């Protein structure tokens, strides 16, 4: 039990190297809620006419998904606004300005089978930018579906399909970004222990 507690503290310290406390807490909360959304979406069900089903569990999971989704809309907007205000658009999307020097350097580092450091306008920050974009697409498409569904719009079903498709982006991002983060943590941890 002591080693698990120690590992959590060490991981928290690792995150503190690049993220202020507010961002760290928001980042972790959003990740947990997204994982919850992916899991609870399997229990959701609507009727063929897009009404809530009468069965208790599918109804519960559907309403839970909507509630967490609206929470993620607010938290995601806060995260995106905070990140862009703190770093600016060019930090996460330098290629939109034709600035690819750091990305190219990071790719060369990867080709040498080394992990590049998280540098401004580099590969890691571009991946973070893609995550902010994926989060935006998923929460805004989900919120759009919810509003159209509440209005009884015939477009609600189409937007729901888009939302389900776009959710694949956040699932891939969650696995890739989380995996790379854990890999960086493991390398940092072993280097620290060997020194």
């Amino acid at each position: 039990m002591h080693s698990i507690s120690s590992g959590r503290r060490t991981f928290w310290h690792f995150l503190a190297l690049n993220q202020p406390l507010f961002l760290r807490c928001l980042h972790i909360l959003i990740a947990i809620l997204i994982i919850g959304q992916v899991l609870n979406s399997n229990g959701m069900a609507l009727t063929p006419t897009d009404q809530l089903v009468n069965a208790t569990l599918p109804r519960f999971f559907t309403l839970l998904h909507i509630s967490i989704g609206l929470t993620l809309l607010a938290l995601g907007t806060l995260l995106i606004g905070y990140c862009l205000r703190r770093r600016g658009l060019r930090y996460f999307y330098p290629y939109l300005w034709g600035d690819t020097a750091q990305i190219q350097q990071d790719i060369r580092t990867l080709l040498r089978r080394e992990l590049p450091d998280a540098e401004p306008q580099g590969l890691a920050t571009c991946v973070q930018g893609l995550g902010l974009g994926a989060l935006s697409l998923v929460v805004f498409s989900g919120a759009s579906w919810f509003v159209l569904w509440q209005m009884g719009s015939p477009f609600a079903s189409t937007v729901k399909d888009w939302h389900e498709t776009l959710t694949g982006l956040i699932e891939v991002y969650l696995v890739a970004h989380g995996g790379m983060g854990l890999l960086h943590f493991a390398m940092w941890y072993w280097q620290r222990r060997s020194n």
Side-chain angles (χ1 to χ4, degrees):
M1 189 65 150
H2 174 61
S3 64
I4 292 172
S5 176
S6 175
R8 270 189 259 143
R9 280 195 307 273
T10 303
F11 186 70
W12 186 251
H13 175 71
F14 171 73
L15 289 176
L17 296 174
N18 295 307
Q19 295 180 352
L21 180 61
F22 173 76
L23 182 58
R24 221 176 323 156
C25 293
L26 187 59
H27 187 186
I28 289 170
L29 178 60
I30 288 173
I32 290 168
L33 290 176
I34 289 171
I35 291 167
Q37 285 292 76
V38 170
L39 295 175
N40 78 31
S41 67
N42 295 313
M44 294 175 59
L46 295 173
T47 66
T49 58
D50 282 337
Q51 301 301 313
L52 286 174
V53 296
N54 287 329
T56 304
L57 273 179
R59 186 180 191 93
F60 168 77
F61 282 120
T62 302
L63 293 173
L64 179 65
H65 192 83
I66 290 168
S67 300
I68 293 173
L70 293 173
T71 302
L72 277 168
L73 174 65
L75 294 176
T77 302
L78 181 63
L79 175 71
I80 292 163
Y82 178 82
C83 289
L84 293 179
R85 184 167 178 243
R86 186 168 177 254
R87 300 288 190 178
L89 209 60
R90 192 168 183 163
Y91 181 85
F92 298 103
Y93 308 100
Y95 46 86
L96 296 178
W97 283 265
D99 183 0
T100 59
Q102 186 61 50
I103 297 169
Q104 291 173 7
Q105 182 176 333
D106 289 352
I107 290 171
R108 285 191 293 273
T109 302
L110 283 172
L111 291 173
R112 290 192 311 265
R113 297 181 183 174
E114 298 173 16
L115 283 178
D117 291 328
E119 298 289 340
Q121 301 164 336
L123 203 52
T125 56
C126 289
V127 169
Q128 291 170 356
L130 293 175
L132 295 176
L135 179 63
S136 299
L137 290 171
V138 172
V139 296
F140 287 117
S141 64
S144 299
W145 165 78
F146 178 71
V147 169
L148 293 171
W149 179 63
Q150 289 293 303
M151 293 171 40
S153 170
F155 298 111
S157 183
T158 301
V159 174
K160 183 179 77 143
D161 292 342
W162 291 349
H163 174 65
E164 290 171 354
T165 301
L166 290 170
T167 298
L169 292 174
I170 207 81
E171 290 172 352
V172 168
Y173 183 78
L174 187 65
V175 171
H177 179 63
M180 288 303 292
L182 290 174
L183 181 61
H184 274 279
F185 169 68
M187 292 181 67
W188 172 83
Y189 180 77
W190 293 118
Q191 285 174 349
R192 190 173 159 217
R193 283 195 69 181
S194 63
N195 288 338

